[in-house]
C-alpha cells in the first residue's frame, strides 16, 4: 500500500467528491430519522496543505483554492456550503486568509452529523489509520477501524438505522480494483438495497469505467464526471462519482453547481451528469 491521499488533498477530484458528499449529507440529514454513515476508505481525516505530502504536490492550488478565490456573488448554494465546510475545518487550526488545512471525507461527514447519527470510518494504511484515530480521539460518534473497508460492507450492512450513506473511495493502486469494487458493491447492495452509495472512480481506462457502470445500470443512479486538462503527463485528468439511490433533489443540486465549478476550475474543464440505464 503506497497510496497516500495527502499528496492529492483538495485537488479537482476531491472537489467533485467532497462537494457532492456535502450535499448528500445535507439532504440525508434533513429528515428526522437517524443516519448511519460508512466511509470504507477514509484516509487520514484531514490534511496539512503545507505539510510533507500536500506541500510537495500543491494539487489543491488547481482545485479547492480556485473555488475559494471565486467571488461569492453567483456562487451556487451547494458550492457555498462545501466551501463553508472547508473553511470551518481550516479555522480550527487558527488559520487566517490562505487555506492551510483541508478536511478529508471523515471530517466532512462528522461536521454534518446530528446527535444520534452513527459513523464508521475504515482505513488500512497504518500511518493514516493512526492520524485518523488521532483526528477523532475522544469523539464517541466516530468509530475508527483499521480494517478492510470492503469487508465492512459485508460486516456492517444493513445498518440498524435502515438509513445509510456509504462512501467508497478506493485508491485504485491495484490493477483489479474495479472488479474488487464491483464485487463488494454488489454484496453491499444485496444486504442493503435501499442505502445511498457514493462511489468514486478515476477515468484512466474508459473501457474499464464503462464496464463498471454497465454492471449497475438499471438501478436508480446518478453519475457525475469531471475532466480537467492533464496536469502533467501520466497524471489523473478525469474522475467520476457514481451515486446509487441518490436522495430527492440531489440531481437538481448537482445540475446547478457543476457549471459554476467548471467555470472556476478554469479553461478546458468539463463536467457531465448522466443516469446510466441498462
Ligand atoms: C482515496 S484515499 C481516501 C480519501 C478519503 N476518502 C477522502 O476523501 O478524504 C483511499 C484510502 O484508502 C486506504 N485503503 C486502501 N485499501 C483499503 C481497504 N481495503 N480498506 C480500507 N482502506 C483502504 C488508503 O490507505 C487510502 O488512505
Amino acid at each position: 500500500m503506497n497510496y497516500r491521499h495527502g499528496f492529492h488533498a483538495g485537488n479537482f477530484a476531491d472537489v467533485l467528491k467532497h462537494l457532492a458528499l456535502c450535499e448528500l449529507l445535507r439532504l440525508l440529514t434533513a429528515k428526522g430519522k437517524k443516519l448511519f454513515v460508512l466511509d470504507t476508505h477514509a484516509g487520514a481525516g484531514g490534511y496539512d496543505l503545507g505539510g510533507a505530502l500536500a506541500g510537495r504536490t500543491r494539487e489543491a492550488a488547481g482545485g479547492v483554492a480556485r473555488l475559494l478565490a471565486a467571488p461569492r456573488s453567483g456562487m451556487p448554494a451547494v458550492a457555498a456550503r462545501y466551501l463553508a465546510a472547508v473553511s470551518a475545518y481550516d479555522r480550527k487550526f487558527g488559520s487566517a486568509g490562505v487555506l492551510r488545512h483541508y478536511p478529508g471525507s471523515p471530517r466532512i461527514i462528522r461536521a454534518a452529523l446530528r446527535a444520534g447519527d452513527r459513523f464508521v470510518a475504515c482505513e488500512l494504511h497504518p500511518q493514516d489509520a493512526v492520524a485518523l484515530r488521532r483526528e477523532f480521539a475522544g469523539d464517541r460518534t466516530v468509530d475508527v477501524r483499521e480494517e478492510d473497508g470492503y469487508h465492512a460492507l459485508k460486516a456492517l450492512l444493513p445498518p440498524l438505522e435502515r438509513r445509510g450513506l456509504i462512501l467508497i473511495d478506493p485508491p485504485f493502486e491495484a490493477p483489479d480494483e474495479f472488479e474488487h469494487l464491483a464485487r463488494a458493491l454488489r454484496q453491499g447492495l444485496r444486504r442493503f438495497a435501499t442505502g445511498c452509495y457514493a462511489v468514486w472512480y478515476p477515468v484512466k481506462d474508459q473501457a474499464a469505467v464503462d464496464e463498471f457502470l454497465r454492471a449497475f445500470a438499471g438501478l436508480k443512479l446518478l453519475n457525475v464526471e469531471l475532466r480537467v486538462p492533464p496536469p502533467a503527463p501520466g497524471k489523473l485528468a478525469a474522475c467520476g462519482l457514481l451515486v446509487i439511490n441518490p436522495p430527492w433533489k440531489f440531481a437538481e443540486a448537482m445540475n446547478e453547481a457543476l457549471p459554476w465549478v467548471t467555470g472556476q476550475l478554469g479553461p478546458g474543464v468539463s463536467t457531465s451528469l448522466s443516469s446510466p440505464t441498462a
Side-chain angles (χ1 to χ4, degrees), residues 1 3-5 14 17-18 39-45 47 103-106 122-125 128 147-150 167 169-171 173 177 180 200:
M1 286 182 48
Y3 181 92
R4 304 294 304 281
H5 195 68
D14 266 5
K17 176 187 27 176
H18 293 158
D39 189 347
T40 59
H41 296 70
Y47 302 92
S105 52
C122 299
E123 171 54 45
L124 265 188
H125 192 289
D128 284 346
E147 65 181 46
D148 185 346
Y150 287 135
L167 174 66
D169 181 20
E173 276 184 303
E177 188 84 62
H180 200 164
W200 184 89

mmCIF file of all heavy atoms in Angstrom, residues 1 3-5 14 17-18 39-45 47 103-106 122-125 128 147-150 167 169-171 173 177 180 200, ligand 1:
data_model
loop_
_atom_site.group_PDB
_atom_site.id
_atom_site.type_symbol
_atom_site.label_atom_id
_atom_site.label_comp_id
_atom_site.label_asym_id
_atom_site.label_seq_id
_atom_site.Cartn_x
_atom_site.Cartn_y
_atom_site.Cartn_z
ATOM 1 N N MET A 1 0.843 -1.196 0.000
ATOM 2 C CA MET A 1 0.000 0.000 0.000
ATOM 3 C C MET A 1 0.880 1.247 0.000
ATOM 4 O O MET A 1 1.431 1.623 1.021
ATOM 5 C CB MET A 1 -0.890 0.006 1.246
ATOM 6 C CG MET A 1 -2.007 -0.991 1.142
ATOM 7 S SD MET A 1 -3.094 -0.945 2.561
ATOM 8 C CE MET A 1 -3.421 0.752 2.752
ATOM 9 N N TYR A 3 -0.258 4.236 -1.696
ATOM 10 C CA TYR A 3 -1.079 5.439 -1.915
ATOM 11 C C TYR A 3 -1.220 6.242 -0.620
ATOM 12 O O TYR A 3 -1.557 5.690 0.430
ATOM 13 C CB TYR A 3 -2.473 5.044 -2.431
ATOM 14 C CG TYR A 3 -3.346 6.246 -2.695
ATOM 15 C CD1 TYR A 3 -3.387 6.819 -3.956
ATOM 16 C CD2 TYR A 3 -4.106 6.824 -1.674
ATOM 17 C CE1 TYR A 3 -4.178 7.943 -4.202
ATOM 18 C CE2 TYR A 3 -4.891 7.938 -1.901
ATOM 19 C CZ TYR A 3 -4.927 8.493 -3.170
ATOM 20 O OH TYR A 3 -5.708 9.596 -3.402
ATOM 21 N N ARG A 4 -0.960 7.541 -0.695
ATOM 22 C CA ARG A 4 -1.220 8.432 0.442
ATOM 23 C C ARG A 4 -2.072 9.572 -0.094
ATOM 24 O O ARG A 4 -1.650 10.303 -1.003
ATOM 25 C CB ARG A 4 0.091 9.011 1.006
ATOM 26 C CG ARG A 4 1.136 7.983 1.428
ATOM 27 C CD ARG A 4 0.706 7.130 2.608
ATOM 28 N NE ARG A 4 0.325 7.857 3.798
ATOM 29 C CZ ARG A 4 1.186 8.395 4.679
ATOM 30 N NH1 ARG A 4 2.476 8.294 4.483
ATOM 31 N NH2 ARG A 4 0.753 9.034 5.755
ATOM 32 N N HIS A 5 -3.251 9.715 0.483
ATOM 33 C CA HIS A 5 -4.143 10.747 -0.050
ATOM 34 C C HIS A 5 -3.599 12.154 0.184
ATOM 35 O O HIS A 5 -3.961 13.095 -0.537
ATOM 36 C CB HIS A 5 -5.551 10.605 0.531
ATOM 37 C CG HIS A 5 -6.552 11.396 -0.237
ATOM 38 N ND1 HIS A 5 -6.907 11.069 -1.526
ATOM 39 C CD2 HIS A 5 -7.206 12.546 0.063
ATOM 40 C CE1 HIS A 5 -7.752 11.974 -1.981
ATOM 41 N NE2 HIS A 5 -7.962 12.881 -1.040
ATOM 42 N N ASP A 14 -10.981 15.743 -5.356
ATOM 43 C CA ASP A 14 -11.571 15.974 -4.034
ATOM 44 C C ASP A 14 -12.710 16.987 -4.121
ATOM 45 O O ASP A 14 -13.717 16.869 -3.415
ATOM 46 C CB ASP A 14 -10.504 16.494 -3.055
ATOM 47 C CG ASP A 14 -9.863 15.367 -2.236
ATOM 48 O OD1 ASP A 14 -10.176 14.190 -2.480
ATOM 49 O OD2 ASP A 14 -9.034 15.679 -1.353
ATOM 50 N N LYS A 17 -15.808 15.080 -5.367
ATOM 51 C CA LYS A 17 -16.267 14.105 -4.366
ATOM 52 C C LYS A 17 -16.811 14.790 -3.117
ATOM 53 O O LYS A 17 -17.894 14.450 -2.631
ATOM 54 C CB LYS A 17 -15.064 13.221 -4.013
ATOM 55 C CG LYS A 17 -15.276 12.206 -2.937
ATOM 56 C CD LYS A 17 -13.976 11.478 -2.541
ATOM 57 C CE LYS A 17 -12.714 12.219 -2.741
ATOM 58 N NZ LYS A 17 -11.491 11.548 -2.275
ATOM 59 N N HIS A 18 -16.097 15.791 -2.620
ATOM 60 C CA HIS A 18 -16.492 16.401 -1.344
ATOM 61 C C HIS A 18 -17.661 17.363 -1.489
ATOM 62 O O HIS A 18 -18.470 17.496 -0.574
ATOM 63 C CB HIS A 18 -15.274 17.076 -0.692
ATOM 64 C CG HIS A 18 -14.225 16.075 -0.260
ATOM 65 N ND1 HIS A 18 -12.911 16.401 -0.070
ATOM 66 C CD2 HIS A 18 -14.317 14.738 -0.001
ATOM 67 C CE1 HIS A 18 -12.228 15.311 0.308
ATOM 68 N NE2 HIS A 18 -13.066 14.288 0.344
ATOM 69 N N ASP A 39 -17.628 5.120 5.792
ATOM 70 C CA ASP A 39 -16.600 5.623 4.872
ATOM 71 C C ASP A 39 -15.597 4.468 4.766
ATOM 72 O O ASP A 39 -14.803 4.240 5.687
ATOM 73 C CB ASP A 39 -15.970 6.889 5.494
ATOM 74 C CG ASP A 39 -15.042 7.629 4.534
ATOM 75 O OD1 ASP A 39 -14.691 7.073 3.491
ATOM 76 O OD2 ASP A 39 -14.667 8.774 4.863
ATOM 77 N N THR A 40 -15.670 3.714 3.663
ATOM 78 C CA THR A 40 -14.899 2.459 3.590
ATOM 79 C C THR A 40 -13.396 2.702 3.417
ATOM 80 O O THR A 40 -12.592 1.865 3.802
ATOM 81 C CB THR A 40 -15.384 1.578 2.416
ATOM 82 O OG1 THR A 40 -15.225 2.316 1.200
ATOM 83 C CG2 THR A 40 -16.819 1.136 2.584
ATOM 84 N N HIS A 41 -13.025 3.802 2.778
ATOM 85 C CA HIS A 41 -11.609 4.130 2.534
ATOM 86 C C HIS A 41 -11.428 5.572 2.990
ATOM 87 O O HIS A 41 -11.521 6.502 2.188
ATOM 88 C CB HIS A 41 -11.274 3.998 1.045
ATOM 89 C CG HIS A 41 -11.412 2.605 0.505
ATOM 90 N ND1 HIS A 41 -12.623 1.987 0.343
ATOM 91 C CD2 HIS A 41 -10.466 1.712 0.087
ATOM 92 C CE1 HIS A 41 -12.424 0.766 -0.158
ATOM 93 N NE2 HIS A 41 -11.130 0.585 -0.323
ATOM 94 N N ALA A 42 -11.175 5.742 4.283
ATOM 95 C CA ALA A 42 -11.370 7.066 4.892
ATOM 96 C C ALA A 42 -10.182 8.009 4.761
ATOM 97 O O ALA A 42 -10.331 9.216 4.843
ATOM 98 C CB ALA A 42 -11.741 6.891 6.364
ATOM 99 N N GLY A 43 -8.973 7.462 4.629
ATOM 100 C CA GLY A 43 -7.793 8.342 4.608
ATOM 101 C C GLY A 43 -7.475 8.852 6.002
ATOM 102 O O GLY A 43 -7.905 8.284 7.011
ATOM 103 N N ALA A 44 -6.716 9.949 6.060
ATOM 104 C CA ALA A 44 -6.201 10.440 7.341
ATOM 105 C C ALA A 44 -7.191 11.328 8.092
ATOM 106 O O ALA A 44 -6.969 11.662 9.247
ATOM 107 C CB ALA A 44 -4.914 11.215 7.092
ATOM 108 N N GLY A 45 -8.243 11.751 7.450
ATOM 109 C CA GLY A 45 -9.253 12.582 8.121
ATOM 110 C C GLY A 45 -9.121 14.054 7.785
ATOM 111 O O GLY A 45 -10.094 14.731 7.509
ATOM 112 N N TYR A 47 -5.908 17.178 6.262
ATOM 113 C CA TYR A 47 -4.588 17.284 5.629
ATOM 114 C C TYR A 47 -4.015 18.682 5.783
ATOM 115 O O TYR A 47 -4.716 19.675 5.568
ATOM 116 C CB TYR A 47 -4.709 16.928 4.136
ATOM 117 C CG TYR A 47 -5.280 15.541 3.958
ATOM 118 C CD1 TYR A 47 -6.661 15.342 3.818
ATOM 119 C CD2 TYR A 47 -4.453 14.419 4.011
ATOM 120 C CE1 TYR A 47 -7.201 14.060 3.715
ATOM 121 C CE2 TYR A 47 -4.976 13.131 3.904
ATOM 122 C CZ TYR A 47 -6.351 12.964 3.757
ATOM 123 O OH TYR A 47 -6.876 11.691 3.669
ATOM 124 N N PRO A 103 -10.184 19.455 4.933
ATOM 125 C CA PRO A 103 -10.843 18.301 5.557
ATOM 126 C C PRO A 103 -10.977 17.134 4.589
ATOM 127 O O PRO A 103 -11.391 17.302 3.442
ATOM 128 C CB PRO A 103 -12.233 18.858 5.903
ATOM 129 C CG PRO A 103 -12.482 19.914 4.872
ATOM 130 C CD PRO A 103 -11.137 20.499 4.515
ATOM 131 N N GLY A 104 -10.634 15.940 5.050
ATOM 132 C CA GLY A 104 -10.911 14.742 4.265
ATOM 133 C C GLY A 104 -12.365 14.341 4.445
ATOM 134 O O GLY A 104 -13.114 14.972 5.211
ATOM 135 N N SER A 105 -12.769 13.274 3.770
ATOM 136 C CA SER A 105 -14.178 12.860 3.848
ATOM 137 C C SER A 105 -14.647 12.622 5.290
ATOM 138 O O SER A 105 -15.775 12.992 5.634
ATOM 139 C CB SER A 105 -14.431 11.628 2.970
ATOM 140 O OG SER A 105 -13.511 10.597 3.253
ATOM 141 N N PRO A 106 -13.819 12.029 6.179
ATOM 142 C CA PRO A 106 -14.335 11.796 7.539
ATOM 143 C C PRO A 106 -14.694 13.092 8.268
ATOM 144 O O PRO A 106 -15.681 13.149 8.999
ATOM 145 C CB PRO A 106 -13.165 11.089 8.250
ATOM 146 C CG PRO A 106 -12.355 10.490 7.154
ATOM 147 C CD PRO A 106 -12.469 11.440 6.007
ATOM 148 N N CYS A 122 -13.211 3.391 7.976
ATOM 149 C CA CYS A 122 -12.187 2.338 7.857
ATOM 150 C C CYS A 122 -10.976 2.876 7.104
ATOM 151 O O CYS A 122 -11.129 3.553 6.079
ATOM 152 C CB CYS A 122 -12.730 1.141 7.081
ATOM 153 S SG CYS A 122 -14.146 0.386 7.870
ATOM 154 N N GLU A 123 -9.793 2.550 7.597
ATOM 155 C CA GLU A 123 -8.568 2.961 6.907
ATOM 156 C C GLU A 123 -7.497 1.912 7.172
ATOM 157 O O GLU A 123 -7.238 1.566 8.321
ATOM 158 C CB GLU A 123 -8.128 4.350 7.398
ATOM 159 C CG GLU A 123 -6.765 4.791 6.933
ATOM 160 C CD GLU A 123 -6.567 4.743 5.407
ATOM 161 O OE1 GLU A 123 -7.453 5.190 4.666
ATOM 162 O OE2 GLU A 123 -5.509 4.226 4.966
ATOM 163 N N LEU A 124 -6.866 1.435 6.100
ATOM 164 C CA LEU A 124 -5.895 0.346 6.243
ATOM 165 C C LEU A 124 -4.442 0.805 6.342
ATOM 166 O O LEU A 124 -3.613 0.067 6.872
ATOM 167 C CB LEU A 124 -6.020 -0.607 5.051
ATOM 168 C CG LEU A 124 -6.917 -1.833 5.235
ATOM 169 C CD1 LEU A 124 -6.761 -2.769 4.036
ATOM 170 C CD2 LEU A 124 -6.577 -2.593 6.515
ATOM 171 N N HIS A 125 -4.109 1.959 5.788
ATOM 172 C CA HIS A 125 -2.699 2.361 5.833
ATOM 173 C C HIS A 125 -2.330 2.677 7.286
ATOM 174 O O HIS A 125 -2.987 3.521 7.910
ATOM 175 C CB HIS A 125 -2.455 3.584 4.947
ATOM 176 C CG HIS A 125 -1.005 3.866 4.724
ATOM 177 N ND1 HIS A 125 -0.179 4.351 5.720
ATOM 178 C CD2 HIS A 125 -0.220 3.686 3.642
ATOM 179 C CE1 HIS A 125 1.046 4.475 5.245
ATOM 180 N NE2 HIS A 125 1.047 4.069 3.982
ATOM 181 N N ASP A 128 -1.913 6.463 8.153
ATOM 182 C CA ASP A 128 -3.163 7.229 8.016
ATOM 183 C C ASP A 128 -4.198 6.782 9.047
ATOM 184 O O ASP A 128 -5.009 7.589 9.525
ATOM 185 C CB ASP A 128 -3.701 7.132 6.582
ATOM 186 C CG ASP A 128 -2.902 8.016 5.631
ATOM 187 O OD1 ASP A 128 -2.136 8.883 6.110
ATOM 188 O OD2 ASP A 128 -3.021 7.857 4.403
ATOM 189 N N GLU A 147 -9.302 -1.464 9.379
ATOM 190 C CA GLU A 147 -9.689 -2.723 8.746
ATOM 191 C C GLU A 147 -10.140 -2.490 7.315
ATOM 192 O O GLU A 147 -10.341 -1.350 6.884
ATOM 193 C CB GLU A 147 -10.780 -3.428 9.558
ATOM 194 C CG GLU A 147 -12.081 -2.674 9.626
ATOM 195 C CD GLU A 147 -13.143 -3.396 10.454
ATOM 196 O OE1 GLU A 147 -12.803 -3.865 11.559
ATOM 197 O OE2 GLU A 147 -14.296 -3.471 10.005
ATOM 198 N N ASP A 148 -10.275 -3.583 6.574
ATOM 199 C CA ASP A 148 -10.628 -3.533 5.158
ATOM 200 C C ASP A 148 -12.053 -2.986 4.977
ATOM 201 O O ASP A 148 -13.022 -3.578 5.463
ATOM 202 C CB ASP A 148 -10.519 -4.961 4.595
ATOM 203 C CG ASP A 148 -10.735 -5.013 3.103
ATOM 204 O OD1 ASP A 148 -11.228 -4.023 2.518
ATOM 205 O OD2 ASP A 148 -10.422 -6.059 2.514
ATOM 206 N N GLY A 149 -12.144 -1.867 4.279
ATOM 207 C CA GLY A 149 -13.446 -1.233 4.075
ATOM 208 C C GLY A 149 -14.384 -2.098 3.246
ATOM 209 O O GLY A 149 -15.612 -2.030 3.424
ATOM 210 N N TYR A 150 -13.835 -2.915 2.351
ATOM 211 C CA TYR A 150 -14.695 -3.805 1.559
ATOM 212 C C TYR A 150 -15.328 -4.858 2.479
ATOM 213 O O TYR A 150 -16.485 -5.221 2.313
ATOM 214 C CB TYR A 150 -13.883 -4.488 0.460
ATOM 215 C CG TYR A 150 -13.485 -3.578 -0.687
ATOM 216 C CD1 TYR A 150 -12.191 -3.603 -1.205
ATOM 217 C CD2 TYR A 150 -14.409 -2.726 -1.277
ATOM 218 C CE1 TYR A 150 -11.828 -2.786 -2.269
ATOM 219 C CE2 TYR A 150 -14.055 -1.906 -2.336
ATOM 220 C CZ TYR A 150 -12.766 -1.941 -2.829
ATOM 221 O OH TYR A 150 -12.423 -1.137 -3.892
ATOM 222 N N LEU A 167 -19.831 5.761 1.565
ATOM 223 C CA LEU A 167 -18.851 6.357 0.653
ATOM 224 C C LEU A 167 -17.766 5.320 0.397
ATOM 225 O O LEU A 167 -17.172 4.794 1.350
ATOM 226 C CB LEU A 167 -18.233 7.621 1.273
ATOM 227 C CG LEU A 167 -17.083 8.247 0.464
ATOM 228 C CD1 LEU A 167 -17.569 8.792 -0.882
ATOM 229 C CD2 LEU A 167 -16.396 9.367 1.262
ATOM 230 N N ASP A 169 -14.279 4.961 -1.625
ATOM 231 C CA ASP A 169 -13.306 5.837 -2.285
ATOM 232 C C ASP A 169 -11.935 5.152 -2.307
ATOM 233 O O ASP A 169 -11.013 5.583 -1.607
ATOM 234 C CB ASP A 169 -13.278 7.165 -1.502
ATOM 235 C CG ASP A 169 -12.330 8.181 -2.101
ATOM 236 O OD1 ASP A 169 -11.976 8.060 -3.283
ATOM 237 O OD2 ASP A 169 -11.934 9.111 -1.361
ATOM 238 N N PRO A 170 -11.810 4.096 -3.118
ATOM 239 C CA PRO A 170 -10.574 3.302 -3.085
ATOM 240 C C PRO A 170 -9.405 4.025 -3.752
ATOM 241 O O PRO A 170 -9.602 4.950 -4.549
ATOM 242 C CB PRO A 170 -10.926 2.042 -3.891
ATOM 243 C CG PRO A 170 -12.385 2.153 -4.239
ATOM 244 C CD PRO A 170 -12.768 3.581 -4.097
ATOM 245 N N PRO A 171 -8.174 3.573 -3.473
ATOM 246 C CA PRO A 171 -7.013 4.249 -4.056
ATOM 247 C C PRO A 171 -6.718 3.859 -5.501
ATOM 248 O O PRO A 171 -5.917 4.509 -6.157
ATOM 249 C CB PRO A 171 -5.863 3.798 -3.140
ATOM 250 C CG PRO A 171 -6.307 2.513 -2.552
ATOM 251 C CD PRO A 171 -7.799 2.566 -2.465
ATOM 252 N N GLU A 173 -4.905 1.504 -6.704
ATOM 253 C CA GLU A 173 -3.500 1.141 -6.908
ATOM 254 C C GLU A 173 -3.415 -0.208 -7.591
ATOM 255 O O GLU A 173 -2.513 -0.457 -8.377
ATOM 256 C CB GLU A 173 -2.821 0.970 -5.547
ATOM 257 C CG GLU A 173 -2.315 2.208 -4.905
ATOM 258 C CD GLU A 173 -1.600 1.861 -3.617
ATOM 259 O OE1 GLU A 173 -2.211 1.230 -2.726
ATOM 260 O OE2 GLU A 173 -0.426 2.220 -3.509
ATOM 261 N N GLU A 177 -8.774 -3.257 -9.222
ATOM 262 C CA GLU A 177 -9.609 -2.547 -8.229
ATOM 263 C C GLU A 177 -11.071 -2.455 -8.674
ATOM 264 O O GLU A 177 -11.990 -2.619 -7.867
ATOM 265 C CB GLU A 177 -9.057 -1.141 -7.970
ATOM 266 C CG GLU A 177 -9.736 -0.410 -6.824
ATOM 267 C CD GLU A 177 -9.162 -0.751 -5.449
ATOM 268 O OE1 GLU A 177 -7.992 -0.495 -5.205
ATOM 269 O OE2 GLU A 177 -9.922 -1.272 -4.617
ATOM 270 N N HIS A 180 -12.777 -5.707 -7.895
ATOM 271 C CA HIS A 180 -12.905 -5.843 -6.447
ATOM 272 C C HIS A 180 -14.050 -4.955 -5.939
ATOM 273 O O HIS A 180 -14.913 -5.366 -5.168
ATOM 274 C CB HIS A 180 -11.575 -5.412 -5.832
ATOM 275 C CG HIS A 180 -11.355 -5.920 -4.451
ATOM 276 N ND1 HIS A 180 -10.139 -5.929 -3.837
ATOM 277 C CD2 HIS A 180 -12.204 -6.428 -3.534
ATOM 278 C CE1 HIS A 180 -10.256 -6.415 -2.623
ATOM 279 N NE2 HIS A 180 -11.508 -6.726 -2.415
ATOM 280 N N TRP A 200 -16.454 6.688 -5.751
ATOM 281 C CA TRP A 200 -15.524 7.488 -6.552
ATOM 282 C C TRP A 200 -14.706 6.564 -7.448
ATOM 283 O O TRP A 200 -14.315 5.469 -7.031
ATOM 284 C CB TRP A 200 -14.587 8.288 -5.640
ATOM 285 C CG TRP A 200 -13.673 9.202 -6.410
ATOM 286 C CD1 TRP A 200 -13.941 10.479 -6.771
ATOM 287 C CD2 TRP A 200 -12.370 8.893 -6.934
ATOM 288 N NE1 TRP A 200 -12.887 10.988 -7.505
ATOM 289 C CE2 TRP A 200 -11.901 10.035 -7.617
ATOM 290 C CE3 TRP A 200 -11.561 7.756 -6.892
ATOM 291 C CZ2 TRP A 200 -10.673 10.078 -8.253
ATOM 292 C CZ3 TRP A 200 -10.327 7.795 -7.531
ATOM 293 C CH2 TRP A 200 -9.891 8.953 -8.200
HETATM 294 C C1 LIG B 1 -8.567 7.953 -1.966
HETATM 295 S S1 LIG B 1 -7.991 7.689 -0.353
HETATM 296 C C2 LIG B 1 -9.335 8.144 0.667
HETATM 297 C C3 LIG B 1 -9.623 9.614 0.743
HETATM 298 C C4 LIG B 1 -10.779 9.971 1.632
HETATM 299 N N1 LIG B 1 -11.943 9.159 1.360
HETATM 300 C C5 LIG B 1 -11.151 11.428 1.454
HETATM 301 O O1 LIG B 1 -11.997 11.731 0.581
HETATM 302 O O2 LIG B 1 -10.641 12.282 2.172
HETATM 303 C C6 LIG B 1 -8.062 5.937 -0.225
HETATM 304 C C7 LIG B 1 -7.616 5.430 1.141
HETATM 305 O O3 LIG B 1 -7.962 4.042 1.246
HETATM 306 C C8 LIG B 1 -6.971 3.387 2.022
HETATM 307 N N2 LIG B 1 -7.152 1.956 1.722
HETATM 308 C C9 LIG B 1 -6.648 1.215 0.709
HETATM 309 N N3 LIG B 1 -7.201 -0.018 0.683
HETATM 310 C C10 LIG B 1 -8.102 -0.055 1.708
HETATM 311 C C11 LIG B 1 -9.037 -1.022 2.176
HETATM 312 N N4 LIG B 1 -9.157 -2.201 1.559
HETATM 313 N N5 LIG B 1 -9.815 -0.717 3.221
HETATM 314 C C12 LIG B 1 -9.707 0.490 3.852
HETATM 315 N N6 LIG B 1 -8.857 1.460 3.440
HETATM 316 C C13 LIG B 1 -8.075 1.193 2.388
HETATM 317 C C14 LIG B 1 -5.693 4.029 1.569
HETATM 318 O O4 LIG B 1 -4.673 3.871 2.522
HETATM 319 C C15 LIG B 1 -6.116 5.496 1.388
HETATM 320 O O5 LIG B 1 -5.883 6.231 2.558
#
